[in-house]
Protein backbone atom coordinates (compact mmCIF):
# COMPACT_ATOMS: atom_id res chain seq x y z
CA UNK A 1 0.00 0.00 0.00
CA UNK A 2 2.78 2.45 0.87
CA UNK A 3 5.51 0.59 -1.00
CA UNK A 4 8.51 2.87 -1.12
CA UNK A 5 6.67 5.97 0.13
CA UNK A 6 8.88 8.28 2.18
CA UNK A 7 7.05 9.03 5.44
CA UNK A 8 8.16 11.33 8.25
CA UNK A 9 6.67 10.46 11.65
CA UNK A 10 6.93 12.89 14.59
CA UNK A 11 5.93 12.29 18.20
CA UNK A 12 7.51 13.15 21.54
CA UNK A 13 6.34 9.84 23.06
CA UNK A 14 9.09 7.34 22.16
CA UNK A 15 6.81 4.29 22.43
CA UNK A 16 4.11 5.80 20.20
CA UNK A 17 6.73 7.05 17.74
CA UNK A 18 8.23 3.56 17.47
CA UNK A 19 4.80 1.92 17.17
CA UNK A 20 3.63 4.18 14.34
CA UNK A 21 6.99 3.93 12.55
CA UNK A 22 6.92 0.12 12.81
CA UNK A 23 3.34 -0.07 11.50
CA UNK A 24 4.17 2.13 8.51
CA UNK A 25 7.36 0.17 7.80
CA UNK A 26 5.32 -3.03 7.90
CA UNK A 27 3.14 -1.75 5.02
CA UNK A 28 6.17 -0.80 2.92
CA UNK A 29 6.94 2.81 3.82
CA UNK A 30 10.47 4.14 4.22
CA UNK A 31 10.11 5.88 7.59
CA UNK A 32 12.14 8.72 9.09
CA UNK A 33 11.42 9.57 12.72
CA UNK A 34 11.46 12.87 14.63
CA UNK A 35 11.05 13.27 18.39
CA UNK A 36 9.85 16.89 18.34
CA UNK A 37 8.33 19.59 16.17
CA UNK A 38 11.74 21.22 15.80
CA UNK A 39 13.25 17.92 14.65
CA UNK A 40 10.32 17.48 12.23
CA UNK A 41 11.22 20.82 10.60
CA UNK A 42 14.93 19.92 10.55
CA UNK A 43 14.29 16.54 8.91
CA UNK A 44 11.95 18.09 6.32
CA UNK A 45 14.60 20.66 5.44
CA UNK A 46 17.56 18.30 5.26
CA UNK A 47 16.08 14.92 4.35
CA UNK A 48 12.96 15.80 2.34
CA UNK A 49 10.93 15.74 0.31
CA UNK A 50 8.57 13.28 1.97
CA UNK A 51 5.41 11.79 0.51
CA UNK A 52 3.56 12.00 3.84
CA UNK A 53 4.03 13.46 7.32
CA UNK A 54 2.34 11.84 10.34
CA UNK A 55 2.66 14.07 13.38
CA UNK A 56 1.44 14.37 16.92
CA UNK A 57 -0.52 17.54 17.58
CA UNK A 58 0.73 18.01 21.14
CA UNK A 59 4.50 18.22 21.50
CA UNK A 60 6.52 20.58 23.70
CA UNK A 61 8.02 23.81 22.37
CA UNK A 62 6.68 23.42 18.81
CA UNK A 63 3.63 21.23 18.30
CA UNK A 64 2.76 19.41 15.09
CA UNK A 65 0.33 22.09 13.94
CA UNK A 66 2.94 24.83 14.37
CA UNK A 67 5.60 22.77 12.63
CA UNK A 68 3.40 22.09 9.63
CA UNK A 69 2.27 25.73 9.49
CA UNK A 70 5.96 26.69 9.29
CA UNK A 71 6.46 24.10 6.54
CA UNK A 72 3.46 25.45 4.59
CA UNK A 73 4.83 28.99 4.93
CA UNK A 74 8.08 27.70 3.40
CA UNK A 75 6.12 26.27 0.48
CA UNK A 76 6.10 22.59 1.47
CA UNK A 77 2.84 20.99 0.33
CA UNK A 78 3.33 17.47 1.73
CA UNK A 79 0.18 15.65 2.83
CA UNK A 80 -0.20 15.46 6.62
CA UNK A 81 -1.99 13.19 9.07
CA UNK A 82 -2.35 14.71 12.54
CA UNK A 83 -2.75 12.41 15.54
CA UNK A 84 -3.20 12.92 19.27
CA UNK A 85 -3.96 11.00 22.43
CA UNK A 86 -5.47 14.14 23.97
CA UNK A 87 -9.12 14.20 24.92
CA UNK A 88 -10.14 17.74 24.06
CA UNK A 89 -13.57 18.88 22.89
CA UNK A 90 -11.91 21.45 20.58
CA UNK A 91 -10.35 18.61 18.54
CA UNK A 92 -13.07 17.09 16.31
Amino acid sequence: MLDGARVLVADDDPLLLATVADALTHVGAKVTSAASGAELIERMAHEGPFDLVVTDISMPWMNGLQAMQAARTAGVGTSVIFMTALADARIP
Side-chain angles (χ1 to χ4, degrees):
M1 182 168 150
L2 291 176
D3 287 339
R6 297 190 70 233
V7 180
L8 175 58
V9 179
D11 200 305
D12 62 319
D13 179 325
L15 181 58
L16 188 55
L17 178 61
T19 301
V20 173
D22 286 347
L24 290 168
T25 300
H26 184 72
V27 295
K30 294 180 181 178
V31 177
T32 300
S33 297
S36 68
E39 190 175 347
L40 181 155
I41 292 294
E42 181 179 321
R43 296 229 185 262
M44 287 184 79
H46 298 288
E47 299 177 34
F50 292 94
D51 300 306
L52 176 66
V53 173
V54 179
T55 182
D56 185 13
I57 289 176
S58 180
M59 292 185 283
W61 187 74
M62 175 183 277
N63 67 43
L65 294 170
Q66 293 166 324
M68 291 313 301
Q69 183 178 23
R72 293 286 188 255
T73 299
V76 176
T78 305
S79 296
V80 181
I81 296 173
F82 292 100
M83 60 183 178
T84 187
L86 293 176
D88 189 324
R90 294 174 295 169
I91 302 172

